[in-house]
Amino acid sequence: MSSGKNKVALIQSYCNTPEKVEALVTTIKKLREIDVYTCVFSSVLLPREVTDLSTFYIFSGENPVLHYPEKAFNFWLWHFYKSNPDRKFYMNKMFSDYGWTVLNQVQIMSSFVKDLDYEWIYLVNYDLDFDDTVIDNLKNPTSVKIFQHKKHTTLFNGTLIFAVLQKPQLEIICDTFNKQDFINTNKIPEDYFLSKVGDECLVNQEVYDTITVEGQQKEQQFNEMPNNDLFKLFIQNRKRLLLYIFDPTKDMGINIHINGDAKIVDLKQGQHQFIHFNIKPEDVKSLTIEIFGQPSFNFSYLFTETAPICWFNDADEQFSGLPPHELIDNDKFLQRLVQYN
């Protein structure tokens, strides 16, 4: 059995809620119980309890999130055209990419501990699920291992929420991880990590986390009005301003205000419609929707520098092989709306 005195866990964290802080404290305590030292990285200030429990604590006010067009994470969801159910169009949403944030934390912690007297080094996410697989590898490490990670229905081949490493892998992390290289390869962080450390380290075992960080269900991510039963809304905020209103639950009139100018639109129960405006998204300073008897709904946040990039396209463009930033610039979707919608 391997001695706990030669083990250290590198704990990645961004614990900006009480729930996340509680999960981090639980993780540190579980590691201490089995004699694994801890190195916690955070870019938000943590309570004194966390720093007192940790062997090492690294704080950095920098949180290097990547934004479009540098790098972003793309989701899409398809809908059918009303008048042509054999053809689909896609709603796309590109969120800021947090991948380098995680890799950067791992690299900084690896650099800190690689010359210290530890034989086994673990990558641990703040909310790791300490199941039998994790406990066994923490207590009895035998080889370098990178595990699979299942979140909801997605299986990641390789993960940073738990891995068993040694000094040679830390050297690789310190010498080869690079932000511009990460951007250029256009990989998700799990694939980037695996490509550097080596596919031969991947094992056919899954590990899990206790707090899901994917946010809302996919369908909700494409609805800017998730907390009411009036209608659903998706807003294109790139190239041309275009609103898609779908699944209205009753007939109603709405008042759309853009930069103070109003446009009245009548909605019919169950009928979907696109609303096109002759204004460039970069010229939008404010966008609100007023509905009789309801408070004003403000969507101006979609026109800030760090807002998700939202746009429409149809099946031909979605699978044309072009990168997302080129797809955004296509006008084909708007041209086809008349024909297919």
Side-chain angles (χ1 to χ4, degrees):
M1 180 178 292
S2 178
S3 168
K5 300 299 182 184
N6 62 0
K7 304 173 186 175
V8 64
L10 310 184
I11 304 177
Q12 315 136 42
S13 74
Y14 187 81
C15 297
N16 58 345
T17 67
E19 180 188 23
K20 292 179 180 181
V21 171
E22 182 181 355
L24 173 60
V25 170
T26 299
T27 292
I28 297 171
K29 287 180 176 179
K30 287 180 178 179
L31 289 164
R32 284 170 59 102
E33 288 172 3
I34 51 179
D35 293 324
V36 177
Y37 291 111
T38 58
C39 177
V40 175
F41 188 104
S42 180
S43 52
V44 294
L45 289 173
L46 295 172
R48 180 66 180 268
E49 180 184 12
V50 173
T51 57
D52 286 347
L53 285 171
S54 306
T55 313
F56 307 107
Y57 173 64
I58 300 174
F59 171 78
S60 171
E62 294 186 4
N63 189 41
V65 178
L66 302 177
H67 305 292
Y68 175 89
E70 192 173 35
K71 195 174 192 302
F73 189 60
N74 185 36
F75 284 89
W76 64 79
L77 184 72
W78 53 262
H79 272 209
F80 289 110
Y81 288 90
K82 288 187 303 183
S83 58
N84 188 349
D86 293 329
R87 191 180 186 93
K88 294 180 284 190
F89 69 88
Y90 288 78
M91 297 181 283
N92 300 265
K93 204 166 190 180
M94 288 185 8
F95 295 89
S96 297
D97 191 303
Y98 292 83
W100 178 248
T101 304
V102 177
L103 295 167
N104 183 61
Q105 289 192 13
V106 169
Q107 187 178 48
I108 291 172
M109 288 187 288
S110 297
S111 179
F112 179 74
V113 305
K114 70 182 178 66
D115 295 325
L116 301 179
D117 191 22
Y118 295 109
E119 179 183 0
W120 297 99
I121 302 95
Y122 303 98
L123 298 188
V124 172
N125 204 51
Y126 75 93
D127 64 339
L128 178 65
D129 182 1
F130 283 72
D131 61 11
D132 291 343
T133 297
V134 169
I135 293 293
D136 183 57
N137 280 276
L138 285 168
K139 288 183 175 180
N140 307 297
T142 57
S143 62
V144 172
K145 291 181 182 178
I146 299 173
F147 295 85
Q148 297 176 327
H149 176 204
K150 190 165 189 179
K151 185 182 290 292
H152 297 306
T153 58
T154 304
L155 180 64
F156 296 93
N157 279 321
T159 181
L160 287 92
I161 72 165
F162 184 64
V164 182
L165 307 177
Q166 292 189 288
K167 293 288 183 73
Q169 286 72 46
L170 295 198
E171 295 289 349
I172 291 171
I173 290 169
C174 292
D175 293 343
T176 66
F177 279 23
N178 178 273
K179 184 175 82 168
Q180 193 56 52
D181 180 49
F182 173 65
I183 293 170
N184 292 342
T185 58
N186 201 31
K187 295 178 182 290
I188 62 173
E190 292 83 0
D191 288 347
Y192 186 83
F193 174 65
L194 192 61
S195 71
K196 297 295 184 182
V197 177
D199 291 337
E200 67 277 4
C201 303
L202 182 64
V203 296
N204 189 26
Q205 289 179 287
E206 296 176 12
V207 292
Y208 308 92
D209 53 354
T210 60
I211 300 175
T212 59
V213 294
E214 289 188 333
Q216 302 166 313
Q217 293 294 319
K218 188 174 182 180
E219 289 78 9
Q220 289 179 300
Q221 292 173 348
F222 293 90
N223 176 22
E224 298 300 332
M225 296 186 66
N227 299 316
N228 67 80
D229 60 356
L230 297 170
F231 56 84
K232 297 174 184 176
L233 173 70
F234 185 78
I235 301 175
Q236 176 170 288
N237 62 1
R238 183 70 180 175
K239 188 68 176 178
R240 297 171 188 244
L241 180 60
L242 183 64
L243 274 63
Y244 176 49
I245 296 179
F246 56 109
D247 295 341
T249 56
K250 60 182 180 179
D251 293 356
M252 70 187 88
I254 65 174
N255 217 332
I256 304 173
H257 291 264
I258 298 174
N259 298 344
D261 294 331
K263 180 173 184 174
I264 299 174
V265 176
D266 290 322
L267 304 182
K268 299 297 182 182
Q269 181 177 351
Q271 292 186 11
H272 306 178
Q273 62 177 295
F274 289 92
I275 306 167
H276 179 233
F277 296 86
N278 190 26
I279 183 173
K280 294 181 179 179
E282 56 264 32
D283 294 329
V284 175
K285 306 303 179 187
S286 65
L287 193 160
T288 59
I289 294 180
E290 293 180 352
I291 305 164
F292 181 74
Q294 298 286 336
S296 177
F297 297 92
N298 191 337
F299 305 100
S300 304
Y301 60 87
L302 286 173
F303 302 90
T304 59
E305 272 188 27
T306 58
I309 303 298
C310 311
W311 83 101
F312 296 97
N313 61 288
D314 71 11
D316 283 355
E317 288 127 24
Q318 182 73 35
F319 299 106
S320 67
L322 293 173
H325 68 275
E326 291 184 26
L327 290 174
I328 291 171
D329 290 332
N330 286 346
D331 285 327
K332 291 180 182 178
F333 179 81
L334 289 172
Q335 294 167 7
R336 290 171 178 158
L337 280 181
V338 177
Q339 182 178 358
Y340 291 106
N341 207 57

